[in-house]
Amino acid sequence: MNHVINLSSLNVTLGGIRILNGLSLEVPRGQWCSVVGPSGCGKSTLLRAMARLIPVEAESFKTDYQTPAFVFQDPTLMPWRNVSDNVGLPLELSGSKRQPEESIDRLTIDETIQLVGLDVEDLTKFPRQLSGGMRMRVSMARALVTRPDILFMDEPFAALDELLRQQLNQLIHEICREQQLTTLFVTHNVSEAVYLSNRVLIMNRHGEIVSDVEITLPESRTAELRVSADYLAVVREVTEKLQEAME
Amino acid sequence: MKWDEIRVIVLPLLFLVLVLTLWQIADQIFEIKRIILPSPLEIAEESWKKIGELVKATLVTGLAALAGFSISICIGVLLALLFSVSRLAKQSVYPYMIMLQTVPIVAIAPLVIIWFGGGLGSVVVIVTVISIFPVITNVTTGLTTIDPGLVELLQLYRANRNEVLFKLKLPNAVPYLLTGARISAGLTIVGAVVGEYMAGHDIDNRGLGYYIFMSSQNFQVEVLYASILLSTLLGIFMVGMTSLLSRTILHRWTYALHQS
């Protein structure tokens, strides 16, 4: 199988504290893999390690992606740039320009902004003029504008209300599925993890992966799925494993 | 304009008129000696006689303040950039920068005059010295206090050092620079008046500090009051203009300031 990420015995120590402990993981291309676990267990650190944003020690650490994208818990928009300039930022940076010409098959800013459910008229607005949900949509557009081959998301919907969270879940799931995008998603919300993923990893307080649950629900995720017996059974299974990990 | 907005302007003006009226009446009733407290009308009358000289002095002080202010912004931003890129420079020099802020300007002024001689040059140096520290400290903070998410974002897209500086650090520092500039703007007039008081004695560049010095020596109390009033108005003008500029530029930064 073609793996985008393949790592074994990964350790991460930050500020003298061991955060991740001997972690091994393979992520196949196109998979939506969610990570759940108690607060402070190293979920976000694992995500940053896989995005090569922090230094790591590992027996082997192979990544096979060219255009990563990251959606943070906060929208992390530049307040001095309007929506268009925020979304276009990755296209301006030399890292993006160093991509081979044929891979610069990017969605335009206009298309991307519409893809995430905003209007073209919103492009001239500044972040302060947008609601929390709109800012998160802009953040998602910024991540998608380079047409990434892997998407890292660190609890992006944690600060949003439940209804908006469900709307954005649906939206991002459809986009990622359509683009066959490998997605690594950190969340505290088990229901959200199960709904979105092909696979859920459960971490314990010691920075170890203690369970790896394959989600065998239908590929198409609809609102009806949230009340189906199969879905609720998987949510219960993951919740029980998470509770065990927290003990 | 709403009534609440009008009140903000009208009430202080009414209060000023009330104080001036009471002052004038008290002066006539109690016959206060002119050398101790001249009446507002006497101040106005004497000032009018010297209006040409006072306006020129205000312009000289204003120009010295503006020149020193501009120099402090340029040097302050450059030093802050150095501190933001070099930990060695920041750790070894920055503590002294903070310490120097506490040295009274009247203690430094004689040294500046010894080094640079009397006249406008020394006044500009004194203004620079007094107004540079808020710029350095604020811009250094702005260049180093950055949303970690944005730093990671640029790291993810392999931004080079110039891109990090021009697309993230410098724009992030603008609100901090403007805050520093607002503080500095108020200090510039203090620096200019102190400088002129001690060094601004050359015949072509007599500023308000010189008039304050001379009028107090010659008991020209009306001119002294007028000079104090003009230097206060000049300070208000400097702060007002910087605040207006800040508000115009920071309009789009509001979200960031609310977030922090």
Side-chain angles (χ1 to χ4, degrees):
Chain A
M1 187 176 276
N2 184 6
H3 291 117
V4 183
I5 291 171
N6 192 335
L7 54 92
S8 68
S9 301
L10 175 85
N11 296 318
V12 173
T13 307
L14 296 173
I17 300 166
R18 175 65 64 89
I19 311 284
L20 299 179
N21 212 351
L23 225 141
S24 295
L25 180 66
E26 289 171 340
V27 181
R29 195 172 297 282
Q31 185 177 68
W32 184 305
C33 178
S34 289
V35 185
V36 294
S39 292
C41 71
K43 303 184 292 290
S44 298
T45 306
L46 174 61
L47 208 64
R48 280 165 173 74
M50 289 189 285
R52 292 188 179 276
L53 291 173
I54 51 173
V56 299
E57 295 163 25
E59 201 175 276
S60 104
F61 185 8
K62 292 177 189 157
T63 53
D64 183 19
Y65 57 78
Q66 275 75 46
T67 319
F70 209 113
V71 181
F72 299 89
Q73 187 169 354
D74 296 318
T76 58
L77 302 178
M78 292 179 169
W80 55 87
R81 284 173 166 248
N82 63 20
V83 169
S84 175
D85 292 342
N86 264 295
V87 173
L89 176 72
L91 304 175
E92 295 171 22
L93 298 172
S94 55
S96 294
K97 285 173 194 153
R98 280 197 289 265
Q99 300 296 318
E101 203 54 42
E102 57 271 23
S103 76
I104 310 178
D105 175 26
R106 300 179 183 111
L107 295 169
T108 64
I109 293 170
D110 289 15
E111 283 169 342
T112 313
I113 210 75
Q114 286 171 332
L115 187 70
V116 297
L118 292 172
D119 295 326
V120 178
E121 291 86 63
D122 295 323
L123 286 168
T124 52
K125 290 180 181 166
F126 284 90
R128 67 181 174 79
Q129 297 170 296
L130 306 175
S131 67
M134 288 169 89
R135 283 180 204 159
M136 190 44 78
R137 285 177 198 265
V138 175
S139 184
M140 284 161 51
R142 183 182 59 194
L144 295 168
V145 77
T146 54
R147 198 153 224 176
D149 53 4
I150 188 164
L151 179 61
F152 299 96
M153 291 202 274
D154 187 7
E155 299 186 55
F157 312 130
L160 304 178
D161 63 67
E162 187 55 31
L163 197 66
L164 188 59
R165 175 194 279 254
Q166 286 186 15
Q167 282 175 2
L168 292 183
N169 277 346
Q170 197 65 42
L171 179 70
I172 195 72
H173 186 266
E174 281 166 15
I175 293 169
C176 291
R177 196 169 146 234
E178 206 168 278
Q179 298 185 7
Q180 296 187 315
L181 194 54
T182 308
T183 308
L184 285 134
F185 186 78
V186 165
T187 178
H188 271 110
N189 189 319
V190 173
S191 309
E192 183 179 60
V194 171
Y195 184 79
L196 294 169
S197 314
N198 309 114
R199 178 188 188 188
V200 177
L201 303 172
I202 300 164
M203 290 179 72
N204 67 7
R205 291 188 185 285
H206 309 294
E208 299 159 337
I209 293 173
V210 288
S211 283
D212 187 343
V213 182
E214 191 185 348
I215 310 295
T216 51
L217 296 169
E219 272 302 302
S220 169
R221 309 286 158 98
T222 56
E224 292 77 47
L225 184 73
R226 289 184 190 274
V227 288
S228 72
D230 290 347
Y231 168 75
L232 294 172
V234 182
V235 170
R236 190 161 50 241
E237 181 195 344
V238 174
T239 305
E240 282 167 4
K241 287 186 173 171
L242 180 61
Q243 279 167 348
E244 284 170 27
M246 290 170 91
E247 283 165 7
Chain B
M1 203 181 249
K2 290 175 187 169
W3 172 236
D4 279 349
E5 291 168 345
I6 297 169
R7 276 163 65 111
V8 173
I9 300 164
V10 169
L11 288 181
L13 284 176
L14 282 176
F15 181 71
L16 179 69
V17 171
L18 179 72
V19 169
L20 291 175
T21 312
L22 288 175
W23 180 357
Q24 185 69 38
I25 292 167
D27 192 74
Q28 282 172 355
I29 292 172
F30 300 110
E31 293 179 349
I32 302 168
K33 283 184 183 170
R34 197 167 174 162
I35 200 161
I36 295 172
L37 186 69
S39 72
L41 285 177
E42 285 165 344
I43 294 171
E45 198 181 332
E46 282 301 309
S47 304
W48 187 248
K49 286 180 193 163
K50 288 184 179 286
I51 189 73
E53 286 175 59
L54 287 171
V55 167
K56 194 187 169 200
T58 308
L59 285 175
V60 168
T61 304
L63 282 176
L66 207 59
F69 183 57
S70 308
I71 295 169
S72 71
I73 296 277
C74 295
I75 298 176
V77 169
L78 287 176
L79 281 173
L81 272 172
L82 174 70
F83 294 148
S84 75
V85 295
S86 166
R87 275 182 70 182
L88 182 75
K90 191 181 175 189
Q91 284 171 347
S92 47
V93 182
Y94 194 66
Y96 294 105
M97 289 286 169
I98 303 286
M99 215 166 74
L100 275 172
Q101 286 186 81
T102 61
V103 181
I105 194 66
V106 282
I108 297 174
L111 284 177
V112 173
I113 294 158
I114 290 168
W115 294 333
F116 296 94
L120 191 64
S122 281
V123 178
V124 172
V125 172
I126 291 166
V127 173
T128 306
V129 169
I130 199 174
S131 61
I132 197 168
F133 298 112
V135 177
I136 294 173
T137 48
N138 276 281
V139 177
T140 304
T141 306
L143 290 168
T144 51
T145 314
I146 296 169
D147 181 346
L150 286 173
V151 176
E152 286 186 330
L153 186 77
L154 266 69
Q155 192 185 338
L156 186 80
Y157 292 112
R158 288 172 285 157
N160 60 35
R161 283 179 74 143
N162 280 343
E163 286 170 334
V164 172
L165 179 67
F166 288 106
K167 291 188 190 294
L168 179 58
K169 286 186 171 182
L170 282 177
N172 188 71
V174 169
Y176 295 86
L177 167 65
L178 291 169
T179 305
R182 268 208 309 273
I183 301 165
S184 292
L187 294 171
T188 53
I189 302 301
V190 177
V193 169
V194 168
E196 287 164 352
Y197 193 94
M198 301 175 102
H201 291 232
D202 63 290
I203 200 151
D204 295 326
N205 298 304
R206 288 173 172 170
L208 289 171
Y210 168 79
Y211 278 89
I212 289 171
F213 176 77
M214 289 307 288
S215 57
S216 63
Q217 296 293 307
N218 301 332
F219 301 104
Q220 290 176 295
V221 191
E222 296 87 354
V223 179
L224 177 62
Y225 275 87
S227 304
I228 293 170
L229 178 69
L230 286 171
S231 41
T232 307
L233 290 176
L234 203 53
I236 292 170
F237 175 76
M238 287 291 287
V239 174
M241 289 309 286
T242 320
S243 296
L244 188 69
L245 184 71
S246 296
R247 212 174 303 166
T248 311
I249 297 173
L250 286 186
H251 185 59
R252 57 174 69 174
W253 262 259
T254 318
Y255 162 61
L257 295 177
H258 281 180
Q259 264 194 331
S260 58

PDB file of all heavy atoms in Angstrom, chain A residues 160-171:
ATOM      1  N   LEU A 160     -16.329  26.353  17.694  1.00  0.00           N
ATOM      2  CA  LEU A 160     -17.573  26.703  16.994  1.00  0.00           C
ATOM      3  C   LEU A 160     -18.782  26.032  17.645  1.00  0.00           C
ATOM      4  O   LEU A 160     -18.654  25.006  18.323  1.00  0.00           O
ATOM      5  CB  LEU A 160     -17.480  26.278  15.533  1.00  0.00           C
ATOM      6  CG  LEU A 160     -16.287  26.828  14.749  1.00  0.00           C
ATOM      7  CD1 LEU A 160     -16.301  26.269  13.337  1.00  0.00           C
ATOM      8  CD2 LEU A 160     -16.297  28.343  14.719  1.00  0.00           C
ATOM      9  N   ASP A 161     -19.961  26.613  17.417  1.00  0.00           N
ATOM     10  CA  ASP A 161     -21.159  25.996  17.986  1.00  0.00           C
ATOM     11  C   ASP A 161     -21.473  24.694  17.233  1.00  0.00           C
ATOM     12  O   ASP A 161     -20.988  24.463  16.119  1.00  0.00           O
ATOM     13  CB  ASP A 161     -22.345  26.964  17.971  1.00  0.00           C
ATOM     14  CG  ASP A 161     -22.760  27.358  16.580  1.00  0.00           C
ATOM     15  OD1 ASP A 161     -23.243  26.486  15.842  1.00  0.00           O
ATOM     16  OD2 ASP A 161     -22.593  28.534  16.217  1.00  0.00           O
ATOM     17  N   GLU A 162     -22.306  23.853  17.836  1.00  0.00           N
ATOM     18  CA  GLU A 162     -22.521  22.498  17.341  1.00  0.00           C
ATOM     19  C   GLU A 162     -23.052  22.465  15.908  1.00  0.00           C
ATOM     20  O   GLU A 162     -22.592  21.677  15.084  1.00  0.00           O
ATOM     21  CB  GLU A 162     -23.473  21.764  18.298  1.00  0.00           C
ATOM     22  CG  GLU A 162     -23.673  20.288  18.006  1.00  0.00           C
ATOM     23  CD  GLU A 162     -22.382  19.467  17.953  1.00  0.00           C
ATOM     24  OE1 GLU A 162     -21.426  19.821  18.674  1.00  0.00           O
ATOM     25  OE2 GLU A 162     -22.323  18.492  17.185  1.00  0.00           O
ATOM     26  N   LEU A 163     -24.003  23.351  15.625  1.00  0.00           N
ATOM     27  CA  LEU A 163     -24.613  23.344  14.299  1.00  0.00           C
ATOM     28  C   LEU A 163     -23.589  23.693  13.220  1.00  0.00           C
ATOM     29  O   LEU A 163     -23.482  23.017  12.189  1.00  0.00           O
ATOM     30  CB  LEU A 163     -25.788  24.333  14.274  1.00  0.00           C
ATOM     31  CG  LEU A 163     -26.764  24.155  13.138  1.00  0.00           C
ATOM     32  CD1 LEU A 163     -27.515  22.834  13.256  1.00  0.00           C
ATOM     33  CD2 LEU A 163     -27.755  25.317  13.094  1.00  0.00           C
ATOM     34  N   LEU A 164     -22.820  24.744  13.498  1.00  0.00           N
ATOM     35  CA  LEU A 164     -21.796  25.181  12.550  1.00  0.00           C
ATOM     36  C   LEU A 164     -20.715  24.121  12.408  1.00  0.00           C
ATOM     37  O   LEU A 164     -20.218  23.851  11.312  1.00  0.00           O
ATOM     38  CB  LEU A 164     -21.191  26.505  13.039  1.00  0.00           C
ATOM     39  CG  LEU A 164     -20.246  27.210  12.090  1.00  0.00           C
ATOM     40  CD1 LEU A 164     -20.932  27.529  10.773  1.00  0.00           C
ATOM     41  CD2 LEU A 164     -19.726  28.487  12.714  1.00  0.00           C
ATOM     42  N   ARG A 165     -20.397  23.495  13.525  1.00  0.00           N
ATOM     43  CA  ARG A 165     -19.393  22.426  13.511  1.00  0.00           C
ATOM     44  C   ARG A 165     -19.844  21.302  12.565  1.00  0.00           C
ATOM     45  O   ARG A 165     -19.065  20.823  11.743  1.00  0.00           O
ATOM     46  CB  ARG A 165     -19.236  21.888  14.938  1.00  0.00           C
ATOM     47  CG  ARG A 165     -18.315  20.691  15.048  1.00  0.00           C
ATOM     48  CD  ARG A 165     -18.490  20.044  16.406  1.00  0.00           C
ATOM     49  NE  ARG A 165     -17.745  20.714  17.442  1.00  0.00           N
ATOM     50  CZ  ARG A 165     -16.630  20.228  17.991  1.00  0.00           C
ATOM     51  NH1 ARG A 165     -16.152  19.085  17.602  1.00  0.00           N
ATOM     52  NH2 ARG A 165     -16.014  20.881  18.929  1.00  0.00           N
ATOM     53  N   GLN A 166     -21.117  20.934  12.663  1.00  0.00           N
ATOM     54  CA  GLN A 166     -21.636  19.856  11.811  1.00  0.00           C
ATOM     55  C   GLN A 166     -21.622  20.261  10.338  1.00  0.00           C
ATOM     56  O   GLN A 166     -21.282  19.465   9.464  1.00  0.00           O
ATOM     57  CB  GLN A 166     -23.047  19.464  12.251  1.00  0.00           C
ATOM     58  CG  GLN A 166     -23.031  18.669  13.547  1.00  0.00           C
ATOM     59  CD  GLN A 166     -24.414  18.146  13.936  1.00  0.00           C
ATOM     60  OE1 GLN A 166     -25.327  18.140  13.130  1.00  0.00           O
ATOM     61  NE2 GLN A 166     -24.543  17.725  15.178  1.00  0.00           N
ATOM     62  N   GLN A 167     -21.970  21.539  10.089  1.00  0.00           N
ATOM     63  CA  GLN A 167     -21.964  22.042   8.698  1.00  0.00           C
ATOM     64  C   GLN A 167     -20.558  21.973   8.117  1.00  0.00           C
ATOM     65  O   GLN A 167     -20.346  21.521   6.993  1.00  0.00           O
ATOM     66  CB  GLN A 167     -22.445  23.489   8.659  1.00  0.00           C
ATOM     67  CG  GLN A 167     -23.939  23.653   8.768  1.00  0.00           C
ATOM     68  CD  GLN A 167     -24.323  25.132   8.857  1.00  0.00           C
ATOM     69  OE1 GLN A 167     -23.484  26.024   8.804  1.00  0.00           O
ATOM     70  NE2 GLN A 167     -25.613  25.381   9.038  1.00  0.00           N
ATOM     71  N   LEU A 168     -19.584  22.436   8.912  1.00  0.00           N
ATOM     72  CA  LEU A 168     -18.211  22.457   8.413  1.00  0.00           C
ATOM     73  C   LEU A 168     -17.628  21.047   8.312  1.00  0.00           C
ATOM     74  O   LEU A 168     -16.828  20.768   7.416  1.00  0.00           O
ATOM     75  CB  LEU A 168     -17.332  23.358   9.292  1.00  0.00           C
ATOM     76  CG  LEU A 168     -17.665  24.848   9.219  1.00  0.00           C
ATOM     77  CD1 LEU A 168     -16.707  25.674  10.059  1.00  0.00           C
ATOM     78  CD2 LEU A 168     -17.628  25.364   7.786  1.00  0.00           C
ATOM     79  N   ASN A 169     -18.053  20.166   9.237  1.00  0.00           N
ATOM     80  CA  ASN A 169     -17.661  18.753   9.132  1.00  0.00           C
ATOM     81  C   ASN A 169     -18.063  18.204   7.773  1.00  0.00           C
ATOM     82  O   ASN A 169     -17.275  17.565   7.075  1.00  0.00           O
ATOM     83  CB  ASN A 169     -18.383  17.919  10.204  1.00  0.00           C
ATOM     84  CG  ASN A 169     -17.689  17.970  11.550  1.00  0.00           C
ATOM     85  OD1 ASN A 169     -16.557  18.392  11.649  1.00  0.00           O
ATOM     86  ND2 ASN A 169     -18.360  17.542  12.597  1.00  0.00           N
ATOM     87  N   GLN A 170     -19.328  18.440   7.433  1.00  0.00           N
ATOM     88  CA  GLN A 170     -19.885  17.940   6.184  1.00  0.00           C
ATOM     89  C   GLN A 170     -19.116  18.501   4.991  1.00  0.00           C
ATOM     90  O   GLN A 170     -18.718  17.765   4.082  1.00  0.00           O
ATOM     91  CB  GLN A 170     -21.365  18.353   6.114  1.00  0.00           C
ATOM     92  CG  GLN A 170     -22.183  17.587   5.099  1.00  0.00           C
ATOM     93  CD  GLN A 170     -22.277  16.099   5.466  1.00  0.00           C
ATOM     94  OE1 GLN A 170     -22.466  15.757   6.631  1.00  0.00           O
ATOM     95  NE2 GLN A 170     -22.117  15.242   4.479  1.00  0.00           N
ATOM     96  N   LEU A 171     -18.878  19.819   5.059  1.00  0.00           N
ATOM     97  CA  LEU A 171     -18.212  20.515   3.959  1.00  0.00           C
ATOM     98  C   LEU A 171     -16.792  19.985   3.739  1.00  0.00           C
ATOM     99  O   LEU A 171     -16.421  19.598   2.624  1.00  0.00           O
ATOM    100  CB  LEU A 171     -18.173  22.021   4.270  1.00  0.00           C
ATOM    101  CG  LEU A 171     -17.494  22.901   3.248  1.00  0.00           C
ATOM    102  CD1 LEU A 171     -18.326  22.987   1.980  1.00  0.00           C
ATOM    103  CD2 LEU A 171     -17.277  24.300   3.811  1.00  0.00           C
TER     104      LEU A 171
END
